[in-house]
Amino acid sequence: MIKRCFQAILFPVILCALSNLSKAQYTIIPVETAGNALVLGVNKGKDLSIIYYGKKLANAAEYGMVSQAYRQTSDYTKVLDAAYSSSGSRNLLESAITVTHADGNNSLDLRYVSHQTTTSQEGISQTSILLRDPVYNFEVTLFYKCYTDQDVIEQWTVIKHGEKGKVTLHKYASANLHLKAKGFWLKQYHGDWAKEMQPEESKITHGIKTLDSKLGTRANLFQPSAFMVSLDKPATEDEGTVLYGALEYSGNFRTDLELDYQDNLRIISGINNYASDYTLQAGEEFQTPAFLHLLSYSGKGDASRKMHDWARQYKLLDGKGNRLTLLNNWESTYFDFNESKLKDLLKDTRKLGVNLFLLDDGWFANKYPRNGDTSGLGDWQVNRSKLPNGIATLVKEADNNGLKFGIWIEPEMVNPKSELYEKHPEWVIKQPGREEHYFRNQLVLDLANPKVQDFVFGVIDDLFKQNPGLAYIKWDCNAVIYNAHSAFLKNQSHFYIEYMRGLYNVLKRVREKYTTVPMMLCSGGGGRVDYAALQYFTEYWPSDNTDPLERIYMQWEYSYFYPAIASSNHVTDWGKQPIKYRTDVAMMGKLGFDIVVGKLNEKDLAFCQNAVKNYNDLKNIIWQGDQYRLSDPREEPVASVAYISKDKASGVVFNYLVTSRYGDGSVYPIHLKGLDPKALYSLEEINLYPGTSSSVDSEKKYSGEFLMTVGFNPVVNSGRSSVVLKLTQKN
Ligand code: DGJ
């Protein structure tokens, strides 16, 4: 009977079962992916708890025996392992939800009512569990969306009440996890402009560790919500148990990791409740953003590949599609350009062999021209003295050159020195009566206001209406929110939430009308990237820091969470490395250039042109293949990353010298991964700088077994600081 019931979960709308072994006490609710089970249990008192999160067991009935295997100290409260902990009743630790009821009472006790599992699409199942307070007319539904093959679970909640009056939500997390292990290690990230995604890994000690942002926009500038927790011991690339977690939200987030007195870890993640009490009307539904998590037993590398597969298949806009290579003019001109300069750059774009020219900041505003970052933001009319014939002429000129044309916008922002600010000071986020405080000389528009949403949508809509040939948007966001206050909202505690709702409304409208046009998610570098935003964007900008050495480290860390196809990597003049090194690094993602092509010497230009051709040849492997981190730049003098096609027949291996210590290089072979051990492969060095030859014999054949067991030495040294190898199956 039990077996039949769990098989039945595979089919639409099924109610779950009672476990044979524990029928008397428990209803067991297994939330399963291909490899894992997050198992919830309901006791006699109807408390919903997490009784297991780990490898899926063949006999689901045995989940009922899991808790008997532990001999930890007593849980006096009986809710330490709550699936969604509430405050004001028995819970003594951090809670997922805190409320004040309509009558002023602060207690909440959520008890299981019912659950159901549905399968709406092959490979995805969704379980929802309804919880209700026995005393108050207040309910929470927990949602678990399981992506079977990738072992990804998305969790969110819907909160609702039928009380006589308003209820205040002080905290409203998306998810609450409870993990058991002999120790936990947190890998988290911090950063700043040009220093994004700096990792730190440490053992979690008792108490609460909080990862959060209160920046409003550009919320990841100092800290992203993405993290990893290793269980039992720090996981390596290929070994160990590791949980990935991230909130799918572009605004303020908060994740609490609390190691309790029983030595279990509770993870609570959601919108940051900082300055954000939410007043919920009777009958209104409050839906939280999704918290995504993924558990792997084969290390951080396996987890990241599953994450990439999930993102490309289900989240990232056009994740399985094409991307455009480009030349951007930001670093070659900054604000100093005119039509004839841009026409020359269009010729350079064609010369380089990339698909698109991207016109960056500085093309707009007349009364207060955008000739620097102190003015013009908000006035999205083409600057008549720089571009007297408008954008349309440039789009046409691009077309004449066989190119596409893209444009930069930063529609959420305004300079105080702008016509927009003069006309609509009430659209600007600022505290009435307080001095304005600027971030990059600008302020943020109040997207909580529907009129501002219309304005922002109009910026994009007008651009497309006036220039139907426009093929790409770079959407920037350079300021955080200071002096958070909306002239539109009555309740300022709703501000941060309504700002994000407004932003997503606009993005939804953009995507309803312009479904596929590629858009880059940029935020003064990498200040904003998450899987809620990436539903609307085809790629993100990891950092303004394009020094290739720095990028090796940054792209390495970003790549745990985001697939290469989403990573916009531009070759620029940052760093001391030669053009080959810079281009090779940028090829590990979505390639672009931001250099003065006209200043390249003959050989550098020839190298770049050839690299673009090689990239076109290999880009599908980089974008859609499996990524393997082979040699860690933080541990070895050589960094090495491979992308292997899903059929294991081809690949590309990037190798870079990352130190300048005397004599350092690839002393030891690099062990390849993800190959067919029985197949034979050749390795050919590509992206050779003109006039140089390779020491790699491309005629030799190696078995996959050899390359994975003994390895291959790409001969990286100070004379060959960057080596790209193309791997091809030969039998
Ligand atoms: C910040 C971005 O990260 C840069 O690439 C560039 O677009 C500037 N803004 C333009 O102001």
Side-chain angles (χ1 to χ4, degrees):
M1 174 252 168
I2 294 293
K3 201 167 174 204
R4 241 181 292 131
C5 182
F6 285 111
Q7 279 168 350
I9 284 169
L10 298 171
F11 301 105
V13 192
I14 305 297
L15 287 189
C16 173
L18 282 174
S19 153
N20 250 353
L21 294 160
S22 48
K23 217 182 231 168
Q25 295 127 356
Y26 277 128
T27 297
I28 304 283
I29 308 171
V31 172
E32 294 177 322
T33 61
N36 299 332
L38 173 62
V39 185
L40 302 142
V42 183
N43 66 12
K44 263 200 287 191
K46 302 286 180 198
D47 292 318
L48 180 74
S49 58
I50 297 174
I51 57 176
Y52 179 76
Y53 189 13
K55 260 188 199 158
K56 187 153 94 179
L57 301 181
N59 177 7
E62 289 187 329
Y63 293 131
M65 300 193 296
V66 170
S67 37
Q68 296 160 23
Y70 291 84
R71 286 278 172 269
Q72 293 168 291
T73 55
S74 299
D75 172 6
Y76 313 106
T77 65
K78 306 288 178 239
V79 289
L80 270 180
D81 53 3
Y84 198 67
S85 51
S86 55
S87 46
S89 50
R90 284 168 293 156
N91 176 31
L92 298 174
L93 304 185
E94 188 59 37
S95 61
I97 183 165
T98 306
V99 308
T100 299
H101 295 283
D103 65 2
N105 187 287
N106 286 328
S107 69
L108 188 65
D109 193 357
L110 294 167
R111 305 293 175 109
Y112 168 86
V113 177
S114 63
H115 75 279
Q116 66 171 32
T117 299
T118 59
T119 308
S120 53
Q121 197 183 333
E122 213 191 313
I124 300 179
S125 66
Q126 186 169 302
T127 298
S128 60
I129 306 174
L130 177 63
L131 307 175
R132 193 171 289 139
D133 189 304
V135 175
Y136 284 89
N137 187 354
F138 187 99
E139 65 183 44
V140 176
T141 308
L142 309 182
F143 288 88
Y144 300 83
K145 189 168 181 180
C146 300
Y147 297 84
T148 312
D149 294 343
Q150 298 81 19
D151 289 330
V152 168
I153 301 179
E154 286 183 300
Q155 262 185 260
W156 68 95
T157 62
V158 172
I159 304 167
K160 202 163 112 174
H161 73 89
E163 298 186 22
K164 291 192 183 69
K166 297 169 192 164
V167 169
T168 305
L169 308 181
H170 304 289
K171 196 171 179 200
Y172 29 82
S174 299
N176 184 160
L177 288 177
H178 187 264
L179 304 171
K180 287 179 186 289
K182 293 181 198 157
F184 301 90
W185 282 259
L186 171 67
K187 185 168 183 190
Q188 61 180 105
Y189 295 90
H190 68 101
D192 195 349
W193 178 77
K195 288 183 186 159
E196 293 85 346
M197 281 309 259
Q198 306 296 319
E200 282 172 325
E201 188 156 21
S202 54
K203 188 161 200 269
I204 299 181
T205 54
H206 290 87
I208 303 179
K209 168 84 186 177
T210 300
L211 309 176
D212 85 331
S213 170
K214 303 182 184 75
L215 307 184
T217 55
R218 212 183 168 176
N220 303 152
L221 180 63
F222 303 143
Q223 185 159 66
S225 76
F227 67 90
M228 299 176 202
V229 172
S230 297
L231 281 71
D232 294 321
K233 60 177 186 197
T236 63
E237 204 54 36
D238 299 308
E239 280 177 355
T241 306
V242 63
L243 177 94
Y244 274 35
L247 192 69
E248 297 176 32
Y249 194 58
S250 316
N252 293 348
F253 63 84
R254 169 175 168 183
T255 301
D256 291 311
L257 301 108
E258 181 169 20
L259 190 63
D260 68 22
Y261 69 89
Q262 285 190 319
D263 304 327
N264 297 323
L265 184 69
R266 136 191 331 225
I267 300 175
I268 295 175
S269 183
I271 294 177
N272 198 337
N273 55 344
Y274 159 74
S276 296
D277 276 356
Y278 192 87
T279 310
L280 194 68
Q281 311 286 342
E284 183 188 345
E285 288 194 349
F286 183 91
Q287 180 169 338
T288 69
F291 172 72
L292 81 93
H293 50 98
L294 186 174
L295 188 62
S296 166
Y297 302 91
S298 310
K300 296 169 181 169
D302 175 63
S304 74
R305 286 182 287 281
K306 286 183 173 145
M307 192 85 162
H308 296 170
D309 286 344
W310 170 80
R312 287 180 299 222
Q313 190 164 343
Y314 298 110
K315 273 288 149 165
L316 172 69
L317 188 83
D318 204 17
K320 297 272 189 190
N322 201 6
R323 295 292 187 275
L324 300 166
T325 52
L326 58 82
L327 178 70
N328 188 192
N329 71 313
W330 175 239
E331 301 206 354
S332 59
T333 66
Y334 293 104
F335 298 95
D336 180 21
F337 56 81
N338 55 29
E339 188 177 301
S340 91
K341 223 183 208 180
L342 293 183
K343 284 188 171 166
D344 286 347
L345 291 179
L346 282 170
K347 291 198 186 85
D348 287 347
T349 312
R350 193 173 68 172
K351 206 192 271 177
L352 204 53
V354 291
N355 308 125
L356 174 133
F357 175 73
L358 170 60
L359 174 59
D360 215 285
D361 197 353
W363 57 266
F364 50 91
N366 289 294
K367 183 171 174 190
Y368 303 108
R370 182 74 173 166
N371 292 330
D373 63 13
T374 54
S375 62
L377 213 48
D379 301 345
W380 298 102
Q381 298 76 36
V382 178
N383 180 279
R384 284 186 295 272
S385 58
K386 282 185 198 172
L387 305 173
N389 300 307
I391 300 293
T393 317
L394 294 166
V395 178
K396 195 157 172 283
E397 183 72 8
D399 193 45
N400 293 341
N401 280 279
L403 298 168
K404 293 184 186 298
F405 192 89
I407 204 158
W408 176 97
I409 51 171
E410 193 181 5
E412 292 159 83
M413 304 285 162
V414 63
N415 281 128
K417 212 168 154 196
S418 68
E419 289 185 84
L420 181 68
Y421 187 98
E422 286 174 352
K423 210 165 139 203
H424 285 295
E426 80 286 7
W427 283 8
V428 179
I429 295 167
K430 54 184 179 146
Q431 285 288 353
R434 284 193 195 280
E435 205 185 321
E436 290 176 3
H437 193 69
Y438 307 122
F439 200 106
R440 206 199 185 200
N441 311 301
Q442 64 195 56
L443 292 166
V444 184
L445 291 174
D446 179 14
L447 274 173
N449 183 339
K451 286 199 179 125
V452 177
Q453 293 172 28
D454 289 344
F455 169 81
V456 173
F457 173 75
V459 172
I460 297 111
D461 199 28
D462 288 348
L463 271 171
F464 281 118
K465 280 195 205 143
Q466 287 155 21
N467 311 286
L470 210 56
Y472 186 91
I473 298 279
K474 175 177 177 182
W475 181 308
D476 209 344
C477 168
N478 283 285
V480 302
I481 294 179
Y482 290 123
N483 289 321
H485 179 91
S486 159
F488 171 79
L489 287 178
K490 288 199 179 70
N491 186 346
Q492 296 302 320
S493 301
H494 287 199
F495 169 73
Y496 286 115
I497 291 172
E498 292 300 340
Y499 182 89
M500 289 316 302
R501 286 180 177 168
L503 175 65
Y504 292 139
N505 279 344
V506 172
L507 290 169
K508 220 177 273 162
R509 281 170 75 184
V510 169
R511 280 312 178 193
E512 273 159 16
K513 195 156 177 193
Y514 307 102
T515 46
T516 51
V517 59
M519 292 210 302
M520 184 211 283
L521 176 59
C522 172
S523 183
R528 181 193 262 177
V529 55
D530 65 86
Y531 277 116
L534 285 177
Q535 297 177 89
Y536 306 102
F537 291 86
T538 47
E539 53 219 73
Y540 70 97
W541 182 236
S543 178
D544 276 349
N545 188 340
T546 43
D547 176 329
L549 191 59
E550 294 293 333
R551 275 295 186 114
I552 287 171
Y553 292 84
M554 267 187 218
Q555 291 172 200
W556 180 281
E557 297 302 334
Y558 270 118
S559 81
Y560 283 113
F561 301 93
Y562 304 103
I565 189 172
S567 177
S568 294
N569 302 337
H570 294 180
V571 178
T572 71
D573 287 330
W574 282 58
K576 298 189 189 85
Q577 289 74 16
I579 191 89
K580 170 171 161 53
Y581 195 107
R582 287 182 269 150
T583 310
D584 291 352
V585 172
M587 275 172 68
M588 297 192 300
K590 209 223 74 173
L591 177 67
F593 291 82
D594 195 347
I595 48 173
V596 186
V597 177
K599 281 196 188 152
L600 293 177
N601 67 38
E602 211 180 307
K603 281 186 173 176
D604 280 4
L605 177 63
F607 169 80
C608 291
Q609 290 166 328
N610 184 47
V612 171
K613 286 191 191 124
N614 287 336
Y615 182 72
N616 286 335
D617 215 31
L618 294 167
K619 64 188 182 191
N620 274 326
I621 302 172
I622 297 167
W623 295 347
Q624 301 298 339
D626 285 326
Q627 178 175 352
Y628 292 90
R629 290 168 213 84
L630 306 177
S631 178
D632 186 343
R634 287 190 167 79
E635 288 167 14
E636 304 290 338
V638 172
S640 182
V641 178
Y643 301 85
I644 308 292
S645 64
K646 290 279 178 191
D647 64 3
K648 301 178 187 296
S650 43
V652 53
V653 190
F654 295 92
N655 309 276
Y656 313 99
L657 185 68
V658 292
T659 77
S660 52
R661 299 292 302 274
Y662 177 75
D664 258 346
S666 54
V667 175
Y668 300 101
I670 305 282
H671 293 119
L672 272 73
K673 293 176 190 171
L675 306 181
D676 175 355
K678 295 205 176 79
L680 287 180
Y681 294 93
S682 71
L683 284 161
E684 179 199 357
E685 183 170 355
I686 58 162
N687 273 13
L688 283 168
Y689 191 75
T692 63
S693 57
S694 176
S695 48
V696 176
D697 180 356
S698 59
E699 295 300 314
K700 267 197 188 152
K701 289 182 189 168
Y702 307 86
S703 68
E705 181 194 32
F706 181 89
L707 292 173
M708 292 192 291
T709 313
V710 178
F712 181 82
N713 199 318
V715 194
V716 177
N717 55 45
S718 57
R720 283 167 56 80
S721 58
S722 174
V723 176
V724 184
L725 301 170
K726 183 175 158 185
L727 180 108
T728 313
Q729 191 178 324
K730 286 294 176 190
N731 57 341

